[in-house]
Amino acid sequence: MHSSLLLFFSLIFSYQPVCAESDERVQLLMGTTARVKVWASDSAHCDLAINAAFEAFVAVDREMSTYRTDSELTRLNREGSRQWVPIGKSLMDVLSASIQFSRLTAGAFDPTVFPLVRLWGFRSHDPRLPTNEDIAEALKATGIRHLLLGTEGRRAKFRTQKVSLDLGGIAKGYALDIARDAAIEAGASAGLLDLGGNLFSFGESAQGLVAIQHPTRSGEVLGHIQLAEKAVATSGGYEKFVEIDGRRYGHIIDPRTGYPASDIKSVTVVADEGVAADALSTACFVLGTDACVDLVSDRERTECVVAWMEEDSLFVRVSEGLALLKP
Ligand code: AMP
Ligand code: MG
């Protein structure tokens, strides 16, 4: 498995500092690079805000990672087919949002793909091509209808056996949302938060251009977009893949077929909330260009950039309300 998340975004700052102080910290977290830059009235408040943002990232990782045996999500995956499992507010919020985005995207966004993610070898050192029978079996446990949330009290349960959830398509966006809130609460007037290429820019000082990585030419830029009071998420086939018999399979699974989605090279979604940008970019990767553009056009203040290959050429489509500035 290869990850090129580190190459994901480069940032160009074109800001006019309006606050007395700004500060930045970078740390490895959630299997990726987390970068937090904030502006506040003085360096003490910068420190407080940076700490608060990182604490939010760490909390989401602790609760929602499927790589940790002790996370709340792992416990739900282990016990949810047998009984109601009590869960905390954050996990409840993300599961509710997952159901909402699954419905909005006709099931293209679906955190119940975890059995398929494993079947395709994304948790294995020796990925093998799954058989059609394996895929049909895993598909039986796939579908958001299998996830039940308690109406009284915070708890979750699965409707059938072998269901398990992977929040890798939405948790980073949620982490950005709560990190922004925490940083503001701690005194930040502006901030630029980057979690493995999922970005959030809030406040005047953090406005600026963001580079979208070229999906087929490593290290090159597809274009720049202006970011102000917005979250942006990119889903790319180049980010994470397995190689089986000399062929590459990407990490985003089409829940309708059980196979990795492969029509699109990369999708960037810009939205007011991190959770929306993250879930919709993953869904758009499955839905394809036209359905993606239709989806974001139907939603207020949401935009996309989609890149795909035809023959040997790369095509790019940008939704109406967004400008992609050429590099
Ligand atoms: P992202 O990079 O945000 O597009 O998320 C991709 C990750 O989400 C994958 O690595 C899987 O962990 C998970 N995933 C794969 N397919 C789907 C899907 N159809 N819906 C939701 N999550 C998915
Ligand atoms: Mg996503």
Side-chain angles (χ1 to χ4, degrees):
M1 194 195 303
H2 174 70
S3 170
S4 58
L5 278 173
L6 299 182
L7 295 171
F8 205 35
F9 268 99
S10 66
L11 296 171
I12 297 177
F13 296 104
S14 56
Y15 59 87
Q16 293 292 316
V18 292
C19 306
E21 296 281 345
S22 75
D23 202 359
E24 183 179 31
R25 192 191 305 162
V26 181
Q27 200 172 311
L28 289 176
L29 258 184
M30 295 169 111
T32 186
T33 307
R35 194 184 300 269
V36 172
K37 184 176 176 74
V38 296
W39 287 257
S41 54
D42 53 57
S43 60
H45 282 94
C46 282
D47 265 2
L48 287 172
I50 288 176
N51 286 342
F54 273 101
E55 274 167 28
F57 292 162
V58 168
V60 170
D61 186 48
R62 199 172 50 228
E63 288 153 16
M64 298 178 211
S65 171
T66 49
Y67 291 90
R68 304 175 79 111
T69 52
D70 60 348
S71 72
E72 259 191 359
L73 182 61
T74 298
R75 175 157 175 240
L76 174 61
N77 282 342
R78 210 167 39 225
E79 299 173 8
S81 292
R82 275 181 279 129
Q83 62 197 39
W84 283 101
V85 179
I87 55 176
K89 181 184 180 307
S90 294
L91 185 53
M92 187 77 179
D93 285 351
V94 174
L95 294 181
S96 305
S98 296
I99 292 173
Q100 185 199 326
F101 284 110
S102 188
R103 293 198 177 127
L104 186 71
T105 62
F109 179 82
D110 187 346
T112 68
V113 293
F114 198 25
L116 288 159
V117 167
R118 278 191 304 233
L119 194 59
W120 280 96
F122 283 95
R123 299 304 169 91
S124 148
H125 296 296
D126 181 23
R128 304 271 169 90
L129 203 61
T131 65
N132 288 339
E133 291 74 34
D134 290 340
I135 290 174
E137 197 57 34
L139 279 173
K140 285 186 197 158
T142 305
I144 203 69
R145 67 187 181 284
H146 295 310
L147 170 62
L148 302 171
L149 295 183
T151 45
E152 287 161 35
R154 291 192 294 257
R155 53 188 197 151
K157 188 180 190 303
F158 303 143
R159 210 187 275 276
T160 183
Q161 299 297 310
K162 296 188 182 164
V163 178
S164 70
L165 307 178
D166 177 350
L167 296 175
I170 191 169
K172 288 196 183 81
Y174 177 78
L176 287 178
D177 291 339
I178 62 167
R180 170 207 49 189
D181 294 347
I184 291 172
E185 176 96 340
S189 57
L192 189 57
L193 315 177
D194 177 356
L195 192 52
N198 286 255
L199 302 184
F200 206 118
S201 160
F202 67 90
E204 209 182 321
S205 304
Q207 294 179 7
L209 292 177
V210 168
I212 299 176
Q213 192 189 309
H214 196 288
T216 57
R217 292 192 221 128
S218 172
E220 287 187 34
V221 165
L222 189 65
H224 295 98
I225 55 174
Q226 178 73 27
L227 204 62
E229 307 295 343
K230 286 284 186 187
V232 53
T234 296
S235 293
Y238 56 87
E239 292 180 83
K240 216 198 256 179
F241 51 82
V242 288
E243 219 164 293
I244 307 173
D245 301 333
R247 213 188 130 180
R248 284 182 178 182
Y249 296 89
H251 65 135
I252 298 174
I253 309 287
D254 185 336
R256 299 165 297 193
T257 62
Y259 280 72
S262 59
D263 287 353
I264 285 183
K265 287 286 170 193
S266 81
V267 191
T268 297
V269 172
V270 182
D272 286 347
E273 303 291 331
V275 80
D278 197 359
L280 292 177
S281 71
T282 307
C284 273
F285 200 89
V286 171
L287 288 170
T289 307
D290 291 348
C292 176
V293 174
D294 287 349
L295 180 68
V296 304
S297 305
D298 284 348
R299 231 180 112 85
E300 290 209 339
R301 301 168 54 81
T302 309
E303 305 293 341
C304 70
V305 180
V306 187
W308 73 99
M309 294 292 286
E310 258 173 57
E311 308 281 316
D312 284 334
S313 308
L314 187 77
F315 289 80
V316 178
R317 195 158 150 208
V318 184
S319 62
E320 226 165 79
L322 192 70
L324 181 70
L325 311 168
K326 289 293 171 195

